[in-house]
Amino acid sequence: MGAGLAAGAAVALAAQRPVLHSLRTRIERLEDSAQTQRQTNFAHQQRLHWELLSKAMDDPDLAEVLDAYNGTVPPRKQRQFLFANALYTNALCYYRMGNITSEEFFGLARSLLQIPVFREYWYATRPHRATLVDASDEAKLGRMVDDLLVQLEETDIDDWWVVGDPPTE
């Protein structure tokens, strides 16, 4: 009787295997679809961010709305900071979407830090980055750029493209 019960259970389990496989496949498709939708939403948000910054860069009245510097930054410089923000945010989004590695992000940041206006922007926005949640990608990458900037300022070599140790995945 025990053997019959075991055989019956084995047959029932074997019959359920295709159903379980089908359910697992459907769940994987749903997860893939959800990930694709998140990336689509993220890309749409990035595009909206760029459009808003572009309007502010083109119109000094709109740029005043984004004045996070309490009027201490002249309008022309503020528009440059908005563009620097767009460059950095673009790199951050590329990283988050998986289009570049952290090592590639590091190289891009190293290049951006060679631009004097970008460095000014980076210094001016230090208090803003201090409010980020420590575990977020943005906070981690921001700290990485902060550390890289210190290393670039402390180096006495002209070969800026070799300064710093890129992160490893």
Side-chain angles (χ1 to χ4, degrees), residues 8-120:
V11 169
L13 184 59
Q16 293 295 321
R17 182 161 285 166
V19 173
L20 291 174
H21 177 72
S22 175
L23 287 173
R24 188 175 304 118
T25 301
R26 289 172 69 187
I27 289 171
E28 288 171 1
R29 281 191 206 135
L30 285 171
E31 288 172 347
D32 289 346
S33 178
Q35 177 63 23
T36 299
Q37 186 61 50
R38 278 191 296 276
Q39 287 191 333
T40 299
N41 292 345
F42 195 70
H44 178 71
Q45 178 61 39
Q46 173 64 16
R47 179 69 188 161
L48 180 59
H49 180 257
W50 171 249
E51 288 174 11
L52 292 170
L53 286 179
S54 293
K55 288 180 180 190
M57 286 182 278
D58 292 340
D59 185 340
D61 291 337
L62 295 178
E64 283 183 36
V65 175
L66 297 177
D67 182 2
Y69 313 102
N70 299 321
T72 60
V73 176
R76 179 175 182 270
K77 181 69 69 179
Q78 184 181 2
R79 285 192 301 277
Q80 291 174 335
F81 282 7
L82 291 173
F83 189 73
N85 174 268
L87 289 173
Y88 180 73
T89 302
N90 186 57
L92 181 63
C93 288
Y94 265 35
Y95 171 77
R96 285 179 172 166
M97 292 175 79
N99 291 346
I100 60 174
T101 65
S102 57
E103 186 176 352
E104 291 168 319
F105 180 90
F106 183 85
L108 182 56
R110 190 167 38 199
S111 296
L112 289 172
L113 290 171
Q114 298 311 302
I115 304 166
V117 172
F118 187 86
R119 279 188 187 212
E120 286 181 69

Side-chain angles (χ1 to χ4, degrees), residues 122-134:
W122 197 254
Y123 283 124
T125 56
R126 181 171 280 152
H128 307 155
R129 287 188 306 283
T131 65
L132 297 173
V133 176
D134 281 345

